[in-house]
Amino acid sequence: MNSYDVVLIGGGIAGLMSAYKLCNIGLSVALVENKPVFAAGPSTRNEGWLHKGTYHATSIKNRQEAVQVAKRCIYGHEYIREFAPEALEDIDKRPLALLKDESRVDEVISRWNEAGVSFTPLTLSKARSLVPEADFTETKAIFAVDDVSLNTRLLYRKLINAAQKAGCVFYLGHEITAIEGQTLHLVSLSGDKAAIAGQRIVYSSGTGARDLFTRHHDHDIPIRYWKSHLIITPRLCAEGVFYLDPHQAAMMHHGDHSIVGFNEDALLSPCADYEVIHERAENIKRGIASIFPGWDSRNSVNIACVKVDLQTSLNCNRSLNVAIAEPVPGHILALPGKMTEAPFLTDKLVAYLHDAIDNASVAMRPCDEFRVLEKIA
Ligand SMILES: Cc1cc2nc3c(=O)[nH]c(=O)nc-3n(C[C@H](O)[C@H](O)[C@H](O)COP(=O)(O)OP(=O)(O)OC[C@H]3O[C@@H](n4cnc5c(N)ncnc54)[C@H](O)[C@@H]3O)c2cc1C
């Protein structure tokens, strides 16, 4: 049986980035993905928007939480920009962030300033010259911002290659049939069986995490599923355009296509399916038509995607925060709030596992020794 320091379950953004970073601190790492390809779920079904804090600094009601998520998005944005510059799209353009509710302008700017979001106010005539197709009649404020579109497949390809070079072993297309203590029993798509063990098992399995804990540990983790929708359509204009107001459209472009979402579309769902809810998709269509009155909705496709969060208290709001939890000793759950927050999440996870799986070749800092003494006492 092959034994590793860490076994990751799930090869979306969280698993792939964790694999890369954990190998780079010298841990032996394996990653198990049950699909025949990596990142077949939300990590590629999403809008491909590498956030820069612009949207979340204003969309999250609680100011402190909003600023925190925005800062983590900025951190993630900078990290991914440096790690895979080739995966950024339209870097010569700045998207436009629009606001209809004039009464929010001061609060939006104040939150952006606190979080460190970069923005440049634009005049209506400048915005019209950049996006002549758009109708800005109801728009009260316009800003050029530094969010960018991301080719997620290219990012993941680079992460997989880098993790593999750093020593990660991938078990692609392997289903977990049983978990006994720290040992996973696997079966491949062609029926081959294997058993692997990890000092720590990390569940970077997104929508699949709850089922794994229920089935193999008889432990119900309070994961919630939030469904929202996107529309893919031929490219609508040169610059990305997104409203900051609730119930308005937000679009990023990928080559010849635009992917458009609808602010605050997220609907609590009993399970993680991708069935499109027709009325929800219609909302996006109305949102697009209000910016681009000439848009032909027939040439478009609707998709649904699911985001998960960890419910921390009864009736708590949807969380866009990262989550690391160890509901069963040795079995750790890792969820990014957004794809853009994966660099922050995976840094936290590396630090967590560094503590759990010590490398005695590096001297302890006095504060580490103090902590050990405290534990003994
Ligand atoms: C509509 C929508 C749009 C979004 N747009 C954006 C955006 O533009 N920008 C952004 O930053 N964020 C966006 N997000 C959020 C983002 O997509 C997710 O936060 C992120 O992709 C989650 O990544 P993950 O690696 O945790 O999970 P996942 O992408 O779900 O990856 C989990 C992996 O685990 C595997 N797996 C599951 N169960 C098992 C099992 N039993 N055994 C082995 N493997 C298993 C899956 O096959 C999958 O490959 C969006 C979310 C939604 C719903």
Side-chain angles (χ1 to χ4, degrees):
M1 179 168 67
N2 290 326
S3 294
Y4 303 91
D5 291 325
V6 181
V7 174
L8 296 152
I9 307 176
I13 176 93
L16 295 175
M17 196 170 277
S18 300
Y20 165 67
K21 289 187 181 179
L22 290 168
C23 285
N24 274 315
I25 64 158
L27 293 177
S28 62
V29 178
L31 186 151
V32 181
E33 166 58 56
N34 62 354
K35 299 274 177 350
V37 288
F38 293 105
S43 291
T44 46
R45 286 183 78 85
N46 66 28
E47 199 169 346
W49 179 348
L50 186 60
H51 290 278
K52 193 87 192 281
T54 317
Y55 178 67
H56 297 103
T58 70
S59 66
I60 298 173
K61 286 194 177 61
N62 177 288
R63 181 181 172 119
Q64 208 183 345
E65 225 176 278
V67 168
Q68 186 188 53
V69 170
K71 283 183 175 170
R72 289 172 184 180
C73 283
I74 295 171
Y75 177 76
H77 181 111
E78 304 290 356
Y79 179 93
I80 291 173
R81 189 179 268 270
E82 194 172 329
F83 175 78
E86 57 284 79
L88 305 184
E89 299 171 298
D90 292 345
I91 46 159
D92 55 336
K93 299 181 175 66
R94 296 181 81 194
L96 306 191
L98 316 177
L99 199 57
K100 278 191 179 180
D101 183 352
E102 208 168 4
S103 70
R104 290 184 61 213
V105 174
D106 289 346
E107 173 68 8
V108 165
I109 290 179
S110 150
R111 285 184 181 205
W112 280 348
N113 284 333
E114 188 179 340
V117 173
S118 45
F119 63 95
T120 313
L122 287 188
T123 60
L124 189 57
S125 62
K126 179 69 183 165
R128 282 197 176 124
S129 72
L130 289 168
V131 191
E133 307 88 339
D135 177 358
F136 293 117
T137 319
E138 291 179 35
T139 313
K140 296 294 184 288
I142 307 175
F143 306 90
V145 293
D146 289 327
D147 301 58
V148 78
S149 299
L150 179 72
N151 182 335
T152 48
R153 287 190 76 215
L154 184 40
L155 169 67
Y156 304 151
R157 183 176 176 171
K158 193 162 182 180
L159 279 173
I160 291 163
N161 189 44
Q164 213 155 20
K165 273 194 186 144
C168 182
V169 178
F170 289 114
Y171 291 84
L172 189 58
H174 280 71
E175 199 66 59
I176 296 163
T177 53
I179 301 180
E180 285 174 346
Q182 297 304 112
T183 302
L184 308 188
H185 296 273
L186 311 176
V187 59
S188 74
L189 289 171
S190 53
D192 296 331
K193 291 185 176 162
I196 59 173
Q199 283 195 55
R200 293 292 183 279
I201 312 294
V202 174
Y203 298 69
S204 51
S205 12
T207 54
R210 186 173 184 176
D211 179 54
L212 282 165
F213 274 94
T214 310
R215 210 145 40 96
H216 299 293
H217 301 291
D218 199 15
H219 190 104
D220 188 23
I221 44 172
I223 276 189
R224 298 181 294 189
Y225 307 110
W226 297 92
K227 183 184 280 190
S228 38
H229 297 78
L230 297 167
I231 280 185
I232 305 170
T233 185
R235 189 166 179 137
L236 291 155
C237 57
E239 269 73 13
V241 177
F242 59 91
Y243 268 108
L244 301 166
D245 311 76
H247 313 302
Q248 301 295 330
M251 73 203 59
M252 297 303 280
H253 311 300
H254 300 276
D256 294 337
H257 294 93
S258 302
I259 303 189
V260 191
F262 196 65
N263 299 341
E264 299 193 13
D265 174 35
L267 181 73
L268 193 57
S269 299
C271 58
D273 68 74
Y274 295 137
E275 203 171 311
V276 170
I277 302 170
H278 180 71
E279 311 86 75
R280 295 279 173 152
E282 287 300 310
N283 285 339
I284 312 180
K285 289 185 180 172
R286 274 194 291 279
I288 302 173
S290 85
I291 309 176
F292 300 100
W295 177 61
D296 180 359
S297 66
R298 287 168 303 177
N299 192 10
S300 64
V301 62
N302 312 324
I303 63 161
C305 184
V306 176
K307 156 147 181 18
V308 294
D309 74 349
L310 197 60
Q311 183 176 13
T312 48
S313 63
L314 203 66
N315 296 330
C316 63
N317 288 335
R318 184 170 76 109
S319 168
L320 289 169
N321 229 328
V322 303
I324 294 178
E326 196 165 341
V328 174
H331 296 259
I332 299 151
L333 173 71
L335 299 174
K338 304 285 292 175
M339 172 182 70
T340 312
E341 287 176 278
F344 179 81
L345 168 81
T346 49
D347 282 359
K348 288 272 161 223
L349 186 67
V350 169
Y352 190 92
L353 291 167
H354 158 72
D355 273 347
I357 308 171
D358 201 7
N359 178 343
S361 66
V362 181
M364 287 224 194
R365 301 167 301 171
C367 61
D368 297 321
E369 283 165 353
F370 183 66
R371 198 165 41 140
V372 172
L373 288 176
E374 270 184 324
K375 267 192 197 158
I376 294 167

